[in-house]
Amino acid sequence: MGGDANGGVQMEKTIGLVQGINVIIGSMIGSGIFVSPTGILASVKSVGASLILWVACGLFSLLGAYCYAELGTLIHRSGADYAYILEAFGPFCGFLRLWVE
């Protein structure tokens, strides 16, 4: 925690390696990567192919979580997807994102 110009105390806007890893792991668990193998195995009916698909989907989810962690450290606004799209593409695309959701 750091102080501001008025002598008050506020949280520092930083994220370190451990916090970034926690965000990525939390996103992976939240996406259901540890629940989905049974559905893949039922559809593919091959243990080897289902493991390959499960690992590939896990890597894809990991990259997505890493991108969100990176966006969260670069854009210091609340609103997640809306804030990111608003910053990158402007208010019209931001409005469309909110409207679609």
Side-chain angles (χ1 to χ4, degrees), residues 3 12 14 19-20 27-28 32-33 39 42 47-48 55 65 76 84 95 97-98:
E12 292 181 18
T14 60
Q19 292 86 5
S27 295
M28 287 177 62
I33 191 171
V47 175
V55 168
H76 300 285
Y84 306 150
F95 167 76
R97 171 67 179 106
L98 287 177

Side-chain angles (χ1 to χ4, degrees), residues 75-98:
I75 299 174
H76 300 285
R77 292 175 143 181
S78 62
D81 293 339
Y82 168 71
Y84 306 150
I85 291 175
L86 179 69
E87 185 80 22
F89 302 112
F92 181 70
C93 290
F95 167 76
L96 287 178
R97 171 67 179 106
L98 287 177

Side-chain angles (χ1 to χ4, degrees), residues 5-74:
N6 298 329
V9 177
Q10 66 183 29
M11 298 288 287
E12 292 181 18
K13 296 180 181 178
T14 60
I15 185 168
L17 177 64
V18 175
Q19 292 86 5
I21 290 171
N22 285 334
V23 168
I24 292 170
I25 290 173
S27 295
M28 287 177 62
I29 292 171
S31 69
I33 191 171
F34 299 111
V35 178
S36 62
T38 55
I40 293 173
L41 183 59
S43 297
V44 176
K45 303 206 185 337
S46 167
V47 175
S50 66
L51 285 174
I52 290 171
L53 283 171
W54 184 70
V55 168
C57 291
L59 291 173
F60 189 69
S61 177
L62 181 70
L63 289 174
Y66 177 73
C67 289
Y68 269 103
E70 193 71 27
L71 281 171
T73 59
L74 293 175

